[in-house]
Amino acid sequence: MENTQLNILALGREKAILEVVERLINSHEGWKATIATTEEEAVAAFQQQTFRIVFVCAGFSAAEEEALRQRLLKIDPAVTVTRHYGGGSGLLENEVLSILQKK
């Protein structure tokens, strides 16, 4: 049986918040988080590995989020870029599962 890892990129300006998001994602078997605090870090990570989901967290405006979405979609049209507002592990898990069900 194939064991595929779900790579998720979390981008935000608040490193402490990102570390919590990273821990929550990594607590799920088969899920792997990468975090970035700038758009350039996010794009560099995105160019080095495939991410199915990109969460835009605190500190990025709607305009910055949209610019990043367009930039990443040019690299990989299959990626889902979405805003993550926080709310704990249950909400994060439901967000991921909802995205995966839509694909």
Side-chain angles (χ1 to χ4, degrees):
M1 174 182 273
E2 184 180 335
N3 184 13
T4 58
Q5 180 171 282
L6 174 62
N7 292 317
I8 301 171
L9 177 61
L11 171 68
R13 302 247 194 256
E14 299 293 330
K15 188 157 176 77
I17 292 171
L18 286 178
E19 289 171 349
V20 172
V21 171
E22 179 181 37
R23 181 179 49 79
L24 293 173
I25 291 170
N26 289 340
S27 71
H28 289 81
E29 186 174 335
W31 295 9
K32 174 69 174 119
T34 299
I35 59 173
T37 57
T38 68
E39 181 179 336
E40 293 309 316
E41 284 179 9
V43 171
F46 200 81
Q47 291 173 329
Q48 292 182 17
Q49 68 179 336
T50 301
F51 294 95
R52 298 250 330 255
I53 300 169
V54 176
F55 282 123
V56 180
C57 303
F60 282 82
S61 69
E64 289 172 314
E65 177 183 347
E66 185 56 30
L68 178 66
R69 175 180 290 105
Q70 295 308 315
R71 195 169 173 189
L72 297 181
L73 284 170
K74 286 180 183 177
I75 299 168
D76 182 359
V79 71
T80 297
V81 180
T82 189
R83 177 69 62 163
H84 174 66
Y85 293 100
S89 61
L91 179 60
L92 181 66
E93 181 178 3
N94 286 334
E95 286 176 313
V96 171
L97 295 176
S98 175
I99 290 167
L100 294 176
Q101 288 176 351
K102 291 178 185 175
K103 294 243 172 201

